[in-house]
Short mmCIF file of all heavy atoms in Angstrom, two decimals:
data_model
loop_
_atom_site.label_atom_id
_atom_site.label_comp_id
_atom_site.label_asym_id
_atom_site.label_seq_id
_atom_site.Cartn_x
_atom_site.Cartn_y
_atom_site.Cartn_z
N MET A 1 74.35 29.02 -42.83
CA MET A 1 74.73 28.19 -41.82
C MET A 1 75.80 27.11 -42.37
O MET A 1 75.48 26.63 -43.48
CB MET A 1 73.63 27.22 -41.29
CG MET A 1 72.51 28.00 -40.53
SD MET A 1 71.42 26.83 -39.78
CE MET A 1 70.02 27.83 -39.77
N GLY A 2 76.78 26.92 -41.70
CA GLY A 2 77.76 25.88 -42.12
C GLY A 2 77.24 24.54 -42.01
O GLY A 2 76.45 24.17 -41.01
N LYS A 3 77.58 23.61 -42.91
CA LYS A 3 77.05 22.24 -42.93
C LYS A 3 77.30 21.54 -41.70
O LYS A 3 76.48 20.91 -41.12
CB LYS A 3 77.58 21.50 -44.20
CG LYS A 3 76.98 22.04 -45.44
CD LYS A 3 77.58 21.20 -46.59
CE LYS A 3 77.22 21.76 -47.91
NZ LYS A 3 77.71 20.91 -49.05
N ARG A 4 78.60 21.59 -41.21
CA ARG A 4 78.94 20.95 -39.96
C ARG A 4 78.20 21.51 -38.77
O ARG A 4 77.67 20.55 -37.99
CB ARG A 4 80.42 21.14 -39.77
CG ARG A 4 80.96 20.34 -38.58
CD ARG A 4 82.35 20.43 -38.37
NE ARG A 4 82.77 19.69 -37.23
CZ ARG A 4 83.95 19.79 -36.68
NH1 ARG A 4 84.84 20.59 -37.17
NH2 ARG A 4 84.29 19.11 -35.54
N LEU A 5 78.08 22.71 -38.62
CA LEU A 5 77.40 23.26 -37.48
C LEU A 5 75.89 22.90 -37.57
O LEU A 5 75.32 22.56 -36.54
CB LEU A 5 77.45 24.78 -37.47
CG LEU A 5 76.75 25.63 -36.39
CD1 LEU A 5 77.21 25.07 -34.97
CD2 LEU A 5 76.96 27.00 -36.56
N SER A 6 75.33 22.97 -38.71
CA SER A 6 73.90 22.59 -38.92
C SER A 6 73.75 21.12 -38.46
O SER A 6 72.65 20.80 -37.82
CB SER A 6 73.52 22.82 -40.36
OG SER A 6 73.64 24.13 -40.75
N ARG A 7 74.51 20.23 -38.87
CA ARG A 7 74.49 18.84 -38.47
C ARG A 7 74.68 18.66 -36.98
O ARG A 7 73.85 17.86 -36.43
CB ARG A 7 75.43 18.02 -39.30
CG ARG A 7 75.12 17.76 -40.76
CD ARG A 7 75.99 16.60 -41.38
NE ARG A 7 77.36 17.00 -41.40
CZ ARG A 7 77.93 17.45 -42.41
NH1 ARG A 7 77.34 17.69 -43.45
NH2 ARG A 7 79.34 17.80 -42.22
N GLN A 8 75.53 19.39 -36.39
CA GLN A 8 75.78 19.22 -34.95
C GLN A 8 74.46 19.76 -34.16
O GLN A 8 74.09 18.98 -33.19
CB GLN A 8 76.93 20.02 -34.55
CG GLN A 8 78.32 19.31 -34.98
CD GLN A 8 79.48 20.18 -34.72
OE1 GLN A 8 79.36 21.41 -34.50
NE2 GLN A 8 80.60 19.60 -34.60
N ILE A 9 73.94 20.82 -34.58
CA ILE A 9 72.74 21.36 -33.87
C ILE A 9 71.67 20.40 -34.08
O ILE A 9 70.90 20.05 -33.10
CB ILE A 9 72.47 22.80 -34.44
CG1 ILE A 9 73.44 23.76 -33.99
CG2 ILE A 9 71.07 23.18 -33.94
CD1 ILE A 9 73.34 25.13 -34.64
N ALA A 10 71.42 19.92 -35.28
CA ALA A 10 70.33 18.98 -35.56
C ALA A 10 70.47 17.66 -34.77
O ALA A 10 69.51 17.13 -34.18
CB ALA A 10 70.20 18.63 -37.03
N ALA A 11 71.75 17.18 -34.66
CA ALA A 11 71.93 15.92 -33.91
C ALA A 11 71.71 16.14 -32.43
O ALA A 11 71.19 15.33 -31.77
CB ALA A 11 73.36 15.45 -34.19
N TYR A 12 72.15 17.29 -31.99
CA TYR A 12 71.98 17.61 -30.52
C TYR A 12 70.43 17.73 -30.16
O TYR A 12 70.05 17.12 -29.18
CB TYR A 12 72.69 18.87 -30.17
CG TYR A 12 72.51 19.36 -28.74
CD1 TYR A 12 73.33 18.81 -27.81
CD2 TYR A 12 71.48 20.16 -28.34
CE1 TYR A 12 73.23 19.16 -26.47
CE2 TYR A 12 71.31 20.50 -26.97
CZ TYR A 12 72.21 20.06 -26.08
OH TYR A 12 72.01 20.37 -24.73
N LEU A 13 69.63 18.33 -31.03
CA LEU A 13 68.30 18.47 -30.79
C LEU A 13 67.65 17.10 -30.84
O LEU A 13 66.70 16.81 -29.96
CB LEU A 13 67.68 19.34 -31.88
CG LEU A 13 68.02 20.79 -31.71
CD1 LEU A 13 67.51 21.63 -32.87
CD2 LEU A 13 67.63 21.44 -30.50
N ARG A 14 68.00 16.20 -31.88
CA ARG A 14 67.37 14.92 -31.87
C ARG A 14 67.78 14.11 -30.59
O ARG A 14 66.97 13.36 -30.07
CB ARG A 14 67.84 14.19 -33.06
CG ARG A 14 66.99 14.57 -34.36
CD ARG A 14 67.28 13.70 -35.46
NE ARG A 14 68.65 13.49 -35.94
CZ ARG A 14 69.47 14.34 -36.66
NH1 ARG A 14 68.69 15.34 -37.21
NH2 ARG A 14 70.63 14.13 -36.93
N LEU A 15 69.00 14.20 -30.22
CA LEU A 15 69.58 13.34 -29.11
C LEU A 15 68.88 13.71 -27.75
O LEU A 15 68.50 12.86 -27.01
CB LEU A 15 71.07 13.55 -28.94
CG LEU A 15 71.74 12.81 -27.73
CD1 LEU A 15 71.61 11.32 -28.03
CD2 LEU A 15 73.24 13.27 -27.74
N HIS A 16 68.66 15.00 -27.56
CA HIS A 16 68.12 15.42 -26.25
C HIS A 16 66.54 15.67 -26.28
O HIS A 16 66.04 16.08 -25.26
CB HIS A 16 68.90 16.65 -25.85
CG HIS A 16 70.28 16.45 -25.65
ND1 HIS A 16 70.67 15.86 -24.37
CD2 HIS A 16 71.43 16.85 -26.25
CE1 HIS A 16 72.06 15.81 -24.42
NE2 HIS A 16 72.49 16.27 -25.62
N SER A 17 65.97 15.39 -27.50
CA SER A 17 64.57 15.57 -27.59
C SER A 17 64.01 16.84 -26.95
O SER A 17 63.14 16.91 -26.13
CB SER A 17 63.80 14.32 -27.01
OG SER A 17 64.16 13.19 -27.72
N LEU A 18 64.73 17.95 -27.19
CA LEU A 18 64.31 19.19 -26.59
C LEU A 18 62.88 19.59 -27.08
O LEU A 18 62.50 19.42 -28.19
CB LEU A 18 65.32 20.33 -27.06
CG LEU A 18 66.77 19.99 -26.65
CD1 LEU A 18 67.64 21.05 -27.06
CD2 LEU A 18 66.86 19.82 -25.14
N ASP A 19 62.20 20.21 -26.10
CA ASP A 19 60.81 20.48 -26.28
C ASP A 19 60.61 21.96 -26.45
O ASP A 19 59.65 22.53 -25.98
CB ASP A 19 60.09 19.99 -25.13
CG ASP A 19 58.67 19.48 -25.49
OD1 ASP A 19 58.45 19.19 -26.78
OD2 ASP A 19 57.87 19.18 -24.61
N PHE A 20 61.45 22.72 -27.28
CA PHE A 20 61.27 24.09 -27.42
C PHE A 20 61.75 24.41 -28.83
O PHE A 20 62.51 23.61 -29.52
CB PHE A 20 61.98 24.98 -26.42
CG PHE A 20 63.50 24.64 -26.30
CD1 PHE A 20 64.43 25.28 -27.25
CD2 PHE A 20 63.99 23.68 -25.48
CE1 PHE A 20 65.71 25.02 -27.18
CE2 PHE A 20 65.30 23.47 -25.39
CZ PHE A 20 66.18 24.07 -26.26
N LYS A 21 61.40 25.60 -29.29
CA LYS A 21 61.84 26.11 -30.60
C LYS A 21 63.10 26.99 -30.51
O LYS A 21 63.21 27.65 -29.36
CB LYS A 21 60.76 26.91 -31.33
CG LYS A 21 59.62 26.06 -31.72
CD LYS A 21 58.65 26.87 -32.51
CE LYS A 21 57.43 26.06 -32.89
NZ LYS A 21 56.49 26.83 -33.63
N LEU A 22 63.98 27.07 -31.48
CA LEU A 22 65.05 27.88 -31.46
C LEU A 22 64.67 29.25 -32.16
O LEU A 22 63.98 29.23 -33.02
CB LEU A 22 66.22 27.27 -32.24
CG LEU A 22 66.82 26.08 -31.69
CD1 LEU A 22 67.92 25.42 -32.51
CD2 LEU A 22 67.34 26.35 -30.27
N ASP A 23 65.25 30.24 -31.67
CA ASP A 23 65.22 31.61 -32.20
C ASP A 23 66.66 31.97 -32.65
O ASP A 23 67.60 31.80 -31.87
CB ASP A 23 64.60 32.72 -31.21
CG ASP A 23 63.26 32.38 -30.80
OD1 ASP A 23 62.52 31.69 -31.57
OD2 ASP A 23 62.86 32.83 -29.73
N LEU A 24 66.76 32.51 -33.97
CA LEU A 24 68.13 32.78 -34.39
C LEU A 24 68.00 34.24 -34.92
O LEU A 24 67.24 34.56 -35.77
CB LEU A 24 68.44 31.87 -35.50
CG LEU A 24 69.83 32.12 -36.15
CD1 LEU A 24 70.94 31.90 -35.18
CD2 LEU A 24 69.88 31.15 -37.39
N ALA A 25 68.96 35.06 -34.35
CA ALA A 25 69.05 36.48 -34.75
C ALA A 25 70.14 36.55 -35.79
O ALA A 25 71.24 36.05 -35.42
CB ALA A 25 69.35 37.31 -33.51
N ILE A 26 69.81 37.17 -36.87
CA ILE A 26 70.84 37.17 -38.05
C ILE A 26 70.70 38.62 -38.73
O ILE A 26 69.65 39.12 -38.79
CB ILE A 26 70.65 36.12 -39.10
CG1 ILE A 26 69.20 36.11 -39.66
CG2 ILE A 26 71.03 34.81 -38.56
CD1 ILE A 26 69.10 35.23 -40.82
N PRO A 27 71.84 39.09 -39.03
CA PRO A 27 71.87 40.45 -39.79
C PRO A 27 71.09 40.25 -41.17
O PRO A 27 71.06 39.25 -41.81
CB PRO A 27 73.28 40.73 -40.12
CG PRO A 27 74.03 39.82 -39.26
CD PRO A 27 73.19 38.60 -38.93
N ALA A 28 70.38 41.36 -41.50
CA ALA A 28 69.67 41.30 -42.76
C ALA A 28 70.45 40.91 -43.98
O ALA A 28 69.82 40.14 -44.86
CB ALA A 28 68.95 42.76 -42.91
N ASN A 29 71.57 41.43 -44.13
CA ASN A 29 72.38 41.00 -45.34
C ASN A 29 72.71 39.55 -45.43
O ASN A 29 72.78 38.91 -46.47
CB ASN A 29 73.67 41.83 -45.43
CG ASN A 29 74.62 41.64 -44.26
OD1 ASN A 29 74.23 41.24 -43.25
ND2 ASN A 29 75.90 41.84 -44.55
N LEU A 30 72.88 38.88 -44.22
CA LEU A 30 73.06 37.45 -44.21
C LEU A 30 71.86 36.82 -44.57
O LEU A 30 71.88 35.75 -45.39
CB LEU A 30 73.61 37.01 -42.85
CG LEU A 30 73.97 35.57 -42.65
CD1 LEU A 30 74.98 35.06 -43.55
CD2 LEU A 30 74.29 35.27 -41.19
N TYR A 31 70.77 37.11 -44.03
CA TYR A 31 69.46 36.56 -44.44
C TYR A 31 69.20 36.70 -45.92
O TYR A 31 68.86 35.71 -46.51
CB TYR A 31 68.37 37.22 -43.63
CG TYR A 31 66.93 36.72 -44.04
CD1 TYR A 31 66.56 35.48 -43.57
CD2 TYR A 31 66.10 37.33 -44.91
CE1 TYR A 31 65.33 34.88 -44.04
CE2 TYR A 31 64.89 36.79 -45.34
CZ TYR A 31 64.47 35.57 -44.88
OH TYR A 31 63.24 35.16 -45.25
N ASP A 32 69.41 37.83 -46.39
CA ASP A 32 69.14 38.08 -47.90
C ASP A 32 70.04 37.30 -48.80
O ASP A 32 69.70 36.87 -49.83
CB ASP A 32 69.34 39.61 -48.21
CG ASP A 32 68.18 40.41 -47.56
OD1 ASP A 32 67.17 39.89 -47.20
OD2 ASP A 32 68.40 41.68 -47.37
N ASN A 33 71.31 37.11 -48.30
CA ASN A 33 72.29 36.39 -49.20
C ASN A 33 72.36 34.87 -48.98
O ASN A 33 72.81 34.11 -49.87
CB ASN A 33 73.71 37.03 -49.00
CG ASN A 33 73.82 38.43 -49.47
OD1 ASN A 33 73.15 38.79 -50.45
ND2 ASN A 33 74.46 39.23 -48.76
N LYS A 34 72.05 34.43 -47.81
CA LYS A 34 72.29 32.99 -47.53
C LYS A 34 71.15 32.16 -47.12
O LYS A 34 71.04 30.96 -47.19
CB LYS A 34 73.37 32.86 -46.41
CG LYS A 34 74.77 33.47 -46.68
CD LYS A 34 75.42 32.72 -47.77
CE LYS A 34 76.78 33.39 -48.08
NZ LYS A 34 77.37 32.79 -49.16
N PHE A 35 70.17 32.84 -46.57
CA PHE A 35 68.93 32.16 -46.05
C PHE A 35 67.76 32.05 -46.99
O PHE A 35 66.65 31.70 -46.62
CB PHE A 35 68.45 32.83 -44.68
CG PHE A 35 69.37 32.39 -43.61
CD1 PHE A 35 70.63 33.00 -43.41
CD2 PHE A 35 68.94 31.52 -42.60
CE1 PHE A 35 71.45 32.50 -42.33
CE2 PHE A 35 69.73 31.20 -41.56
CZ PHE A 35 70.99 31.59 -41.44
N GLN A 36 67.96 32.41 -48.18
CA GLN A 36 66.81 32.42 -49.24
C GLN A 36 66.85 31.13 -50.11
O GLN A 36 66.02 30.97 -50.80
CB GLN A 36 66.85 33.64 -50.10
CG GLN A 36 66.69 34.99 -49.40
CD GLN A 36 65.32 35.01 -48.76
OE1 GLN A 36 64.24 34.70 -49.42
NE2 GLN A 36 65.31 35.36 -47.49
N THR A 37 67.85 30.36 -49.92
CA THR A 37 68.08 29.12 -50.69
C THR A 37 67.06 28.06 -50.26
O THR A 37 66.65 28.08 -49.11
CB THR A 37 69.55 28.55 -50.61
OG1 THR A 37 69.73 28.11 -49.21
CG2 THR A 37 70.51 29.54 -50.99
N PRO A 38 66.61 27.27 -51.18
CA PRO A 38 65.67 26.26 -50.78
C PRO A 38 66.22 25.33 -49.61
O PRO A 38 65.46 24.93 -48.72
CB PRO A 38 65.48 25.35 -52.12
CG PRO A 38 65.85 26.29 -53.09
CD PRO A 38 66.89 27.26 -52.63
N LEU A 39 67.50 25.05 -49.60
CA LEU A 39 68.12 24.16 -48.59
C LEU A 39 68.07 24.91 -47.20
O LEU A 39 67.61 24.25 -46.22
CB LEU A 39 69.57 23.86 -48.86
CG LEU A 39 70.33 23.01 -47.81
CD1 LEU A 39 69.56 21.68 -47.53
CD2 LEU A 39 71.84 22.81 -48.19
N ALA A 40 68.30 26.17 -47.19
CA ALA A 40 68.26 26.91 -45.88
C ALA A 40 66.83 26.97 -45.42
O ALA A 40 66.58 26.74 -44.24
CB ALA A 40 68.90 28.34 -46.13
N GLN A 41 65.83 27.30 -46.31
CA GLN A 41 64.50 27.28 -45.94
C GLN A 41 63.97 25.95 -45.39
O GLN A 41 63.25 25.93 -44.43
CB GLN A 41 63.69 27.71 -47.20
CG GLN A 41 63.90 29.17 -47.54
CD GLN A 41 63.53 30.17 -46.46
OE1 GLN A 41 62.42 30.13 -45.87
NE2 GLN A 41 64.52 31.11 -46.22
N LEU A 42 64.45 24.89 -46.02
CA LEU A 42 64.06 23.57 -45.49
C LEU A 42 64.63 23.35 -44.16
O LEU A 42 63.97 22.81 -43.31
CB LEU A 42 64.66 22.39 -46.52
CG LEU A 42 64.28 21.04 -46.18
CD1 LEU A 42 62.90 20.76 -46.11
CD2 LEU A 42 65.02 20.12 -47.07
N MET A 43 65.86 23.64 -43.84
CA MET A 43 66.46 23.47 -42.63
C MET A 43 65.72 24.32 -41.52
O MET A 43 65.56 23.82 -40.41
CB MET A 43 67.89 23.75 -42.64
CG MET A 43 68.80 22.88 -43.44
SD MET A 43 70.55 23.42 -43.58
CE MET A 43 71.02 23.62 -41.93
N ILE A 44 65.37 25.47 -41.89
CA ILE A 44 64.66 26.33 -41.01
C ILE A 44 63.29 25.84 -40.56
O ILE A 44 62.94 25.77 -39.41
CB ILE A 44 64.53 27.77 -41.46
CG1 ILE A 44 65.86 28.50 -41.64
CG2 ILE A 44 63.51 28.65 -40.69
CD1 ILE A 44 65.87 29.70 -42.47
N GLN A 45 62.63 25.29 -41.62
CA GLN A 45 61.26 24.72 -41.34
C GLN A 45 61.43 23.36 -40.61
O GLN A 45 60.73 23.11 -39.63
CB GLN A 45 60.56 24.42 -42.70
CG GLN A 45 60.22 25.65 -43.43
CD GLN A 45 58.97 26.33 -42.86
OE1 GLN A 45 58.04 25.63 -42.41
NE2 GLN A 45 58.96 27.66 -42.89
N LYS A 46 62.34 22.50 -40.99
CA LYS A 46 62.49 21.12 -40.43
C LYS A 46 62.80 21.26 -38.96
O LYS A 46 62.34 20.57 -38.07
CB LYS A 46 63.48 20.39 -41.20
CG LYS A 46 63.59 18.93 -40.69
CD LYS A 46 64.55 18.12 -41.57
CE LYS A 46 64.63 16.73 -40.99
NZ LYS A 46 65.47 15.85 -41.75
N ASN A 47 63.70 22.13 -38.66
CA ASN A 47 64.24 22.29 -37.26
C ASN A 47 63.45 23.39 -36.53
O ASN A 47 63.81 23.64 -35.30
CB ASN A 47 65.77 22.68 -37.31
CG ASN A 47 66.51 21.52 -37.79
OD1 ASN A 47 66.53 20.43 -37.25
ND2 ASN A 47 67.21 21.71 -38.94
N GLN A 48 62.43 23.99 -37.02
CA GLN A 48 61.50 24.89 -36.37
C GLN A 48 62.31 26.06 -35.73
O GLN A 48 62.19 26.37 -34.55
CB GLN A 48 60.69 24.19 -35.40
CG GLN A 48 59.74 23.22 -35.98
CD GLN A 48 58.83 22.59 -34.92
OE1 GLN A 48 59.13 22.50 -33.78
NE2 GLN A 48 57.77 22.13 -35.46
N VAL A 49 63.17 26.72 -36.56
CA VAL A 49 64.00 27.82 -36.11
C VAL A 49 63.12 29.18 -36.54
O VAL A 49 63.03 29.40 -37.75
CB VAL A 49 65.40 27.84 -36.68
CG1 VAL A 49 66.16 29.10 -36.33
CG2 VAL A 49 66.10 26.45 -36.42
N ASN A 50 62.94 29.91 -35.52
CA ASN A 50 62.33 31.29 -35.83
C ASN A 50 63.46 32.21 -36.07
O ASN A 50 64.51 32.06 -35.36
CB ASN A 50 61.49 31.68 -34.64
CG ASN A 50 60.35 30.77 -34.41
OD1 ASN A 50 59.63 30.40 -35.33
ND2 ASN A 50 60.01 30.58 -33.09
N LEU A 51 63.30 33.04 -37.04
CA LEU A 51 64.29 34.05 -37.33
C LEU A 51 63.94 35.47 -36.93
O LEU A 51 62.85 35.98 -37.18
CB LEU A 51 64.59 34.01 -38.81
CG LEU A 51 65.09 32.72 -39.45
CD1 LEU A 51 65.32 32.76 -40.88
CD2 LEU A 51 66.40 32.26 -38.79
N LEU A 52 64.87 36.16 -36.37
CA LEU A 52 64.77 37.59 -36.12
C LEU A 52 65.82 38.23 -36.95
O LEU A 52 67.03 38.00 -36.75
CB LEU A 52 65.11 37.82 -34.59
CG LEU A 52 64.97 39.26 -34.21
CD1 LEU A 52 64.31 39.35 -32.80
CD2 LEU A 52 66.29 39.97 -34.17
N VAL A 53 65.48 39.03 -37.97
CA VAL A 53 66.28 39.50 -38.93
C VAL A 53 66.47 41.00 -38.55
O VAL A 53 65.53 41.76 -38.40
CB VAL A 53 65.75 39.50 -40.37
CG1 VAL A 53 66.73 40.05 -41.29
CG2 VAL A 53 65.42 38.06 -40.72
N PHE A 54 67.68 41.46 -38.40
CA PHE A 54 67.95 42.85 -37.85
C PHE A 54 68.95 43.52 -38.67
O PHE A 54 69.81 42.95 -39.43
CB PHE A 54 68.42 42.74 -36.45
CG PHE A 54 69.86 42.22 -36.28
CD1 PHE A 54 70.96 42.93 -36.13
CD2 PHE A 54 69.96 40.75 -36.17
CE1 PHE A 54 72.18 42.39 -35.92
CE2 PHE A 54 71.25 40.16 -35.99
CZ PHE A 54 72.27 41.08 -35.87
N ASP A 55 68.95 44.95 -38.70
CA ASP A 55 69.87 45.82 -39.24
C ASP A 55 70.92 46.18 -38.24
O ASP A 55 70.53 46.87 -37.22
CB ASP A 55 69.20 47.03 -39.80
CG ASP A 55 70.15 47.93 -40.61
OD1 ASP A 55 71.37 48.11 -40.13
OD2 ASP A 55 69.68 48.54 -41.59
N PRO A 56 72.12 45.72 -38.30
CA PRO A 56 73.15 45.99 -37.32
C PRO A 56 73.57 47.37 -37.21
O PRO A 56 74.10 47.84 -36.20
CB PRO A 56 74.28 45.04 -37.70
CG PRO A 56 74.18 44.70 -39.08
CD PRO A 56 72.66 44.83 -39.41
N ILE A 57 73.50 48.14 -38.36
CA ILE A 57 73.90 49.59 -38.29
C ILE A 57 72.80 50.44 -37.63
O ILE A 57 73.19 51.21 -36.75
CB ILE A 57 74.23 50.01 -39.74
CG1 ILE A 57 75.44 49.20 -40.23
CG2 ILE A 57 74.43 51.56 -39.76
CD1 ILE A 57 75.59 49.45 -41.78
N LEU A 58 71.57 50.19 -38.04
CA LEU A 58 70.48 51.01 -37.45
C LEU A 58 70.01 50.50 -36.13
O LEU A 58 69.29 51.17 -35.42
CB LEU A 58 69.26 51.08 -38.47
CG LEU A 58 69.61 51.85 -39.74
CD1 LEU A 58 68.32 51.71 -40.65
CD2 LEU A 58 70.00 53.27 -39.58
N GLU A 59 70.37 49.20 -35.84
CA GLU A 59 70.02 48.54 -34.64
C GLU A 59 68.55 48.50 -34.44
O GLU A 59 67.92 48.78 -33.50
CB GLU A 59 70.60 49.19 -33.34
CG GLU A 59 72.23 49.14 -33.44
CD GLU A 59 72.77 49.85 -32.18
OE1 GLU A 59 72.09 50.49 -31.46
OE2 GLU A 59 74.12 49.67 -32.05
N VAL A 60 67.89 47.96 -35.50
CA VAL A 60 66.48 47.79 -35.54
C VAL A 60 66.12 46.34 -36.07
O VAL A 60 66.89 45.87 -36.82
CB VAL A 60 65.62 48.71 -36.37
CG1 VAL A 60 65.88 50.16 -35.84
CG2 VAL A 60 66.09 48.76 -37.85
N ILE A 61 65.00 45.80 -35.61
CA ILE A 61 64.58 44.53 -36.10
C ILE A 61 63.85 44.83 -37.39
O ILE A 61 62.86 45.56 -37.35
CB ILE A 61 63.66 43.87 -35.07
CG1 ILE A 61 64.48 43.50 -33.77
CG2 ILE A 61 63.03 42.58 -35.59
CD1 ILE A 61 63.66 43.06 -32.63
N GLU A 62 64.15 44.11 -38.45
CA GLU A 62 63.50 44.32 -39.68
C GLU A 62 62.32 43.31 -39.87
O GLU A 62 61.26 43.67 -40.52
CB GLU A 62 64.48 44.24 -40.91
CG GLU A 62 65.46 45.33 -40.99
CD GLU A 62 66.30 45.25 -42.20
OE1 GLU A 62 66.21 44.20 -43.08
OE2 GLU A 62 67.03 46.13 -42.44
N ARG A 63 62.54 42.07 -39.46
CA ARG A 63 61.49 41.01 -39.67
C ARG A 63 61.57 39.98 -38.51
O ARG A 63 62.66 39.76 -38.02
CB ARG A 63 61.82 40.24 -40.98
CG ARG A 63 61.36 40.96 -42.29
CD ARG A 63 61.90 40.20 -43.39
NE ARG A 63 63.33 40.69 -43.65
CZ ARG A 63 63.97 40.44 -44.72
NH1 ARG A 63 63.41 39.84 -45.75
NH2 ARG A 63 65.16 40.96 -44.89
N TRP A 64 60.49 39.41 -38.23
CA TRP A 64 60.36 38.26 -37.37
C TRP A 64 59.75 37.19 -38.22
O TRP A 64 58.68 37.30 -38.67
CB TRP A 64 59.49 38.52 -36.13
CG TRP A 64 59.24 37.34 -35.37
CD1 TRP A 64 58.08 36.69 -35.31
CD2 TRP A 64 60.11 36.60 -34.48
NE1 TRP A 64 58.13 35.52 -34.59
CE2 TRP A 64 59.41 35.51 -33.94
CE3 TRP A 64 61.41 36.87 -34.06
CZ2 TRP A 64 60.02 34.60 -33.11
CZ3 TRP A 64 61.97 35.94 -33.16
CH2 TRP A 64 61.25 34.87 -32.72
N ILE A 65 60.42 36.15 -38.44
CA ILE A 65 59.93 35.04 -39.25
C ILE A 65 59.65 33.89 -38.41
O ILE A 65 60.53 33.15 -37.86
CB ILE A 65 60.90 34.73 -40.38
CG1 ILE A 65 61.18 36.06 -41.23
CG2 ILE A 65 60.36 33.60 -41.26
CD1 ILE A 65 62.36 35.99 -42.12
N ASN A 66 58.37 33.45 -38.38
CA ASN A 66 57.89 32.30 -37.60
C ASN A 66 58.12 31.09 -38.54
O ASN A 66 57.64 31.08 -39.65
CB ASN A 66 56.45 32.41 -37.17
CG ASN A 66 55.96 31.28 -36.39
OD1 ASN A 66 56.50 30.19 -36.52
ND2 ASN A 66 54.92 31.53 -35.63
N SER A 67 58.89 30.04 -37.92
CA SER A 67 59.20 28.91 -38.84
C SER A 67 57.91 28.09 -39.28
O SER A 67 57.89 27.30 -40.18
CB SER A 67 60.07 27.97 -38.14
OG SER A 67 59.58 27.40 -36.91
N ASN A 68 56.81 28.21 -38.56
CA ASN A 68 55.61 27.55 -38.91
C ASN A 68 54.80 28.33 -39.87
O ASN A 68 53.80 27.73 -40.37
CB ASN A 68 54.78 27.24 -37.64
CG ASN A 68 55.43 26.25 -36.74
OD1 ASN A 68 56.28 25.45 -37.24
ND2 ASN A 68 55.35 26.43 -35.45
N ALA A 69 55.12 29.52 -40.20
CA ALA A 69 54.25 30.32 -41.20
C ALA A 69 55.16 30.66 -42.33
O ALA A 69 56.38 30.61 -42.36
CB ALA A 69 53.88 31.63 -40.50
N THR A 70 54.45 30.78 -43.51
CA THR A 70 55.15 31.23 -44.76
C THR A 70 55.21 32.70 -44.70
O THR A 70 54.32 33.40 -44.39
CB THR A 70 54.42 30.66 -45.97
OG1 THR A 70 53.14 31.16 -45.90
CG2 THR A 70 54.47 29.14 -45.92
N GLU A 71 56.36 33.22 -45.29
CA GLU A 71 56.49 34.69 -45.31
C GLU A 71 55.87 35.16 -46.56
O GLU A 71 55.79 34.67 -47.65
CB GLU A 71 58.05 34.98 -45.40
CG GLU A 71 58.39 36.40 -45.36
CD GLU A 71 59.93 36.75 -45.29
OE1 GLU A 71 60.61 35.69 -45.53
OE2 GLU A 71 60.25 37.81 -45.16
N ALA A 72 55.07 36.30 -46.44
CA ALA A 72 54.37 36.86 -47.43
C ALA A 72 55.27 37.77 -48.40
O ALA A 72 56.33 38.13 -48.07
CB ALA A 72 53.34 37.86 -46.92
#
């Protein structure tokens, strides 16, 4: 996630006090390369973003990651 976009989304959620969780669909290679960092994991947990990780070539869902649970 870009820093600016992340800040904008977080600010919007705080401003509007939205009462729902976000689901984000991302390709598996992006998840493996960018979403494994401690900062990305913290942002996902703090903003309660559920992740749907998919393979864009095979067009299959590889993982569903609930932001409230830890991945095994």
Side-chain angles (χ1 to χ4, degrees):
M1 288 187 213
K3 289 180 185 179
R4 181 177 178 193
L5 177 60
S6 300
R7 285 194 298 263
Q8 288 175 337
I9 292 171
Y12 181 85
L13 292 174
R14 281 192 304 273
L15 178 66
H16 295 285
S17 299
L18 299 177
D19 219 11
F20 59 85
K21 290 185 182 181
L22 293 176
D23 297 336
L24 178 64
I26 57 174
N29 64 333
L30 181 63
Y31 176 77
D32 294 336
N33 293 324
K34 301 293 182 186
F35 281 74
Q36 297 298 313
T37 66
L39 178 58
Q41 292 297 311
L42 178 63
M43 289 174 55
I44 291 165
Q45 293 283 325
K46 183 175 181 180
N47 293 297
Q48 297 182 337
V49 178
N50 296 321
L51 300 178
L52 182 139
V53 182
F54 67 96
D55 183 321
I57 296 170
L58 298 176
E59 297 182 351
V60 296
I61 296 171
E62 291 187 355
R63 285 173 272 196
W64 170 258
I65 303 169
N66 184 332
S67 64
N68 291 330
T70 55
E71 191 175 6

